[in-house]
Amino acid sequence: MNKELFIEELKKIDINITDYQLEQLENYYNLLIEENKKYNLTSITNKEDVYLKHFYDSLTILKIIKLNNQALCDIGTGAGFPGIVLKIMYPNLKVTLIDSTLKKCNFLNIVIEKLKLKEIEVINKRAEIYSKNVREKYDIVTSRAVAPLKHLLEYSIPLVKVNGYYIAMKGNIKEELIGINNYEKKLNIKEIDRIEFNLPIENSYRTLIKYKKTSPTNLIYPRKYNEIKKKNL
Ligand code: SAM
């Protein structure tokens, strides 16, 4: 996706990008490529692919939620998708980036420093450990391409405030929805929106699901990772 098309496609989802934000994304791209030579941060390095599959794709969350000055947590952010892109585009967001891989967290801190981003923190932890102690703190929790939906819900929902949202950014999700009703009941959440679409140009399939948290999460969740993996709720 070249820059002209990137700008055009963003307009279709009501995003008017500024010259400064374009410059920030360009700097982010350069850092990603530079650091990717030292550590494997992403397999997508071609510039037009990064603009489509990382930058534009991260911003498709705007199809399902408006962003302004909420507290947002991105679980399994990797090299910063969608969290860093959202922070660049919505500087009033208070962003927490979580990833279990130290080298990715080190990269995120470099980006934050070089781009002079404020009110953004990086936590190098497994999400199921973080959410054991940090309860009901975020207006929005999201994740893109991290784990099966059931696992994500169990360790993401404790972090969400009552009346806040969890947004899953997924590909084809049909199989992952089997048995999800039990998760909705036990974690006190309700699916309130689902959007399916294809990415421009390469047409890969995307699903966004929005859950609303209706009451506090029982302290027994999340269970230990082995249990999460072994036994469905
Ligand atoms: N969200 C990014 C993206 O869309 O490009 C990265 C996706 S990458 C496939 C998955 C990332 O999630 C990895 O960086 C991995 O370290 C992290 N991850 C997986 N399980 C996790 C967990 N339970 N807690 C924290 N990070 C996790």
Side-chain angles (χ1 to χ4, degrees):
M1 169 178 260
N2 63 33
K3 255 192 218 153
E4 288 68 37
L5 189 58
F6 179 65
I7 296 168
E8 277 309 300
E9 289 295 331
L10 289 187
K11 278 190 189 144
K12 290 185 194 163
I13 46 175
D14 282 336
I15 302 174
N16 285 305
I17 191 165
T18 65
D19 288 346
Y20 180 66
Q21 287 164 333
L22 280 170
E23 193 186 314
Q24 292 276 77
L25 287 178
E26 190 69 16
N27 291 339
Y28 182 21
Y29 171 76
N30 289 333
L31 287 169
L32 182 67
I33 297 311
E34 202 177 301
E35 296 298 315
N36 207 44
K37 289 178 194 150
K38 301 179 215 161
Y39 328 99
N40 182 23
L41 297 165
T42 177
S43 55
I44 299 169
T45 53
N46 171 281
K47 193 165 186 170
E48 297 206 351
D49 289 344
V50 170
Y51 271 75
L52 174 64
K53 294 179 193 167
H54 284 326
F55 295 170
Y56 175 78
D57 194 33
S58 291
L59 289 166
T60 59
I61 194 173
L62 269 294
K63 287 176 183 277
I64 206 160
I65 196 157
K66 294 272 166 279
L67 298 177
N68 185 12
N69 58 359
Q70 302 101 323
L72 178 145
C73 179
D74 178 14
I75 289 183
T77 188
F81 308 114
I84 293 266
V85 182
L86 297 180
K87 180 67 193 177
I88 290 172
M89 295 304 298
Y90 297 90
N92 290 338
L93 287 178
K94 291 162 201 67
V95 174
T96 299
L97 305 170
I98 298 183
D99 204 282
S100 54
T101 308
L102 180 62
K103 65 176 186 182
K104 294 193 176 162
C105 291
N106 291 342
F107 169 71
L108 296 168
N109 280 317
I110 292 172
V111 175
I112 289 168
E113 195 199 317
K114 295 266 178 131
L115 268 53
K116 299 187 169 51
L117 301 176
K118 302 281 178 285
E119 293 200 289
I120 180 164
E121 61 176 348
V122 179
I123 311 260
N124 178 213
K125 270 199 181 136
R126 290 199 66 85
E128 59 274 22
I129 292 169
Y130 183 68
S131 69
K132 204 72 206 160
N133 301 312
V134 180
R135 314 288 293 191
E136 271 120 40
K137 181 175 175 182
Y138 298 97
D139 302 294
I140 302 166
V141 177
T142 189
S143 39
R144 189 188 79 150
V146 174
L149 182 62
K150 288 174 183 165
H151 298 186
L152 288 168
L153 288 177
E154 186 162 345
Y155 47 71
S156 300
I157 296 302
L159 297 168
V160 180
K161 288 180 188 170
V162 173
N163 293 322
Y165 303 100
Y166 172 72
I167 296 176
M169 305 183 77
K170 290 277 191 179
N172 190 338
I173 202 171
K174 236 185 190 159
E175 301 273 305
E176 294 186 40
L177 290 171
I178 298 166
I180 213 76
N181 286 359
N182 260 352
Y183 281 73
E184 295 189 17
K185 273 189 219 130
K186 293 192 170 158
L187 297 170
N188 305 327
I189 54 171
K190 199 170 171 322
E191 181 185 328
I192 56 164
D193 202 0
R194 189 187 305 182
I195 294 179
E196 292 158 73
F197 60 97
N198 293 89
L199 271 191
I201 303 171
E202 50 119 58
N203 281 330
S204 58
Y205 193 73
R206 292 286 184 272
T207 310
L208 299 171
I209 302 198
K210 184 178 188 179
Y211 290 97
K212 183 167 184 171
K213 177 157 160 176
T214 53
S215 50
T217 316
N218 192 316
L219 290 173
I220 59 173
Y221 306 121
R223 296 167 295 161
K224 294 218 167 76
Y225 185 60
N226 278 349
E227 291 168 56
I228 294 177
K229 247 173 60 179
K230 239 185 351 207
K231 197 167 180 290
N232 282 341
L233 290 182

